Amino acid sequence: MNKIMLTTVAAAISLTLSACYQDDGTVLAPNQAPPVPPTPSTLDVSGSGIKGVLANALVEVFDSSDLETALANTQTDENGDYTLSLTDASGEAITGTFFVSVSADEDTTMICDATVCGDVVRGGVVPASQLAGLKLSTMSNSDGSGTIFAEVNALTTLATETILAVIEDDADIDLSDPEIFEAFQVDASRVIGATLGLDLSETNIFDVVIVDASVSANVSTDDMVAATLTLINGSLSGLEPGTDETLADAIETYIAAVKLVTKAIINNPGAALDADTVAAMASINAVQAQVSQAIIDLASVISGDTGNAVGIVNIPDVINPDDIAASVDLDDEITGGTGGTGGTGGTGGGGTGG
């Protein structure tokens, strides 16, 4: 009898010891296999950094709700292209809006895509010393398909900075919502168009194929808007830096001026510009005067190279802030439905080109 009892107790101990415990404390039955962990989901992000081809530039991807913590990073290759992946261990599809930043660092170089970039001729290499501090950006939305294509150039940067300027004062705006995000893209494109003297009411800057203007065959001969935006993007490489400035400084100053002006006008289209905004508007017009002629010169060079005329939209050499305010008046999303124009004061000048 004692032998039978001892055998029964031993069997019970054996069963107890053979039970498995998961990390969460769940007890599995004897010989029961643990559940198969989910296959991690991925989001592949790819694109190019084109302000002239930016080689060996730092690429960082952020969630639109946290622009301080990079989710992943890589570098552009010699063609300005990049690819990286985000991973979610839960296996859930990765969705939402993502911010992509391309920054020039100590080994970044750029192909000159203007007629001339300081001492560098078109197609030559602009050295890292002229590029330090340059940061370009874009935003793109993932629908869960596992891939997004995010092209980064000066135009996407201007539109992205305008969007960020608007949402930084309103924590309730959820850019992860694809409909809200698309509305912001369209609205920002129209405002940036007015800042350049272009009608982009039917154009989403983030969807336009802007190419390296240093290769003449790249530039579209059948899409005037794409060609014009490509040449504007290229012409910014030809900005003349001030004393003790670099090319990066000149481009960054222009981007900052556009952000300040568009934010001020979007927030209150009918208000007179304050002193800082008037100064920023003057900075914009100093660049505009150079760009309006530069795109004509660049189009002529490209036409001579290819034997094909490059049709562009002529843009004015002076931007009137009232024209920017008029573009805001059409908007329902980026201003929260509070549009309405009035005299903005500040600088005057020509209207939009056609």
Side-chain angles (χ1 to χ4, degrees):
M1 179 70 177
N2 289 339
K3 184 176 181 180
I4 295 174
M5 290 180 64
L6 288 172
T7 301
T8 302
V9 170
I13 293 172
S14 176
L15 287 172
T16 301
L17 292 176
S18 66
C20 295
Y21 292 83
Q22 298 196 94
D23 291 341
D24 61 2
T26 302
V27 180
L28 299 176
N31 302 318
Q32 179 180 345
V36 177
T39 301
S41 55
T42 59
L43 174 63
D44 295 328
V45 185
S46 62
S48 302
I50 302 294
K51 172 61 254 60
V53 169
L54 285 166
N56 301 314
L58 173 65
V59 181
E60 297 175 290
V61 177
F62 304 79
D63 188 281
S64 62
S65 63
D66 180 3
L67 301 183
E68 299 297 325
T69 307
L71 302 174
N73 65 76
T74 187
Q75 277 196 317
T76 58
D77 63 17
E78 67 275 11
N79 299 313
D81 299 328
Y82 72 89
T83 301
L84 52 76
S85 294
L86 307 181
T87 303
D88 187 339
S90 74
E92 294 291 328
I94 301 175
T95 60
T97 294
F98 296 89
F99 174 86
V100 180
S101 169
V102 175
S103 305
D105 53 27
E106 66 276 1
D107 62 348
T108 302
T109 58
M110 186 188 80
I111 301 299
C112 175
D113 53 346
T115 53
V116 64
C117 305
D119 297 329
V120 179
V121 297
R122 179 170 173 258
V125 178
V126 178
S129 60
Q130 282 293 310
L131 302 173
L134 178 62
K135 180 177 288 188
L136 305 179
S137 59
T138 194
M139 302 183 89
S140 186
N141 186 269
S142 168
D143 61 4
S145 64
T147 62
I148 58 175
F149 192 63
E151 290 285 81
V152 183
N153 52 65
L155 283 306
T156 60
T157 303
L158 294 175
T160 296
E161 288 299 318
T162 292
I163 292 172
L164 295 180
V166 171
I167 68 172
E168 65 188 5
D169 294 331
D170 191 341
D172 293 331
I173 296 174
D174 181 13
L175 285 183
S176 67
D177 184 315
E179 292 186 0
I180 292 176
F181 174 63
E182 183 177 1
F184 268 84
Q185 281 188 314
V186 171
D187 296 339
S189 296
R190 187 176 58 251
V191 173
I192 293 303
T195 307
L196 295 167
L198 285 168
D199 178 5
L200 297 184
S201 57
E202 302 296 326
T203 301
N204 185 337
I205 282 177
F206 296 89
D207 292 338
V208 177
V209 179
I210 293 175
V211 297
D212 172 20
S214 72
V215 181
S216 296
N218 287 348
V219 181
S220 175
T221 56
D222 55 15
D223 186 334
M224 291 180 67
V225 171
T228 303
L229 292 176
T230 288
L231 299 191
I232 290 173
N233 183 62
S235 68
L236 292 176
S237 299
L239 294 183
E240 299 175 5
T243 304
D244 297 326
E245 281 191 334
T246 64
L247 174 59
D249 294 331
I251 295 174
E252 286 290 323
T253 296
Y254 174 66
I255 292 171
V258 171
K259 180 176 182 178
L260 192 157
V261 168
T262 54
K263 180 178 181 179
I265 293 178
I266 287 168
N267 284 345
N268 196 341
L273 304 183
D274 63 20
D276 289 341
T277 313
V278 169
M281 196 69 225
S283 179
I284 290 172
N285 275 324
V287 171
Q288 185 73 13
Q290 295 179 56
V291 169
S292 61
Q293 183 59 49
I295 66 171
I296 295 172
D297 296 341
L298 193 50
S300 177
V301 170
I302 293 170
S303 295
D305 289 344
T306 64
N308 298 313
V310 178
I312 61 172
V313 181
N314 291 323
I315 61 175
D317 56 10
V318 175
I319 299 299
N320 190 326
D322 286 337
D323 292 336
I324 303 175
S327 74
V328 174
D329 187 42
L330 301 173
D331 174 50
D332 291 325
E333 190 67 56
I334 203 167
T335 64
T338 60
T341 63
T344 56
T347 61
T352 58

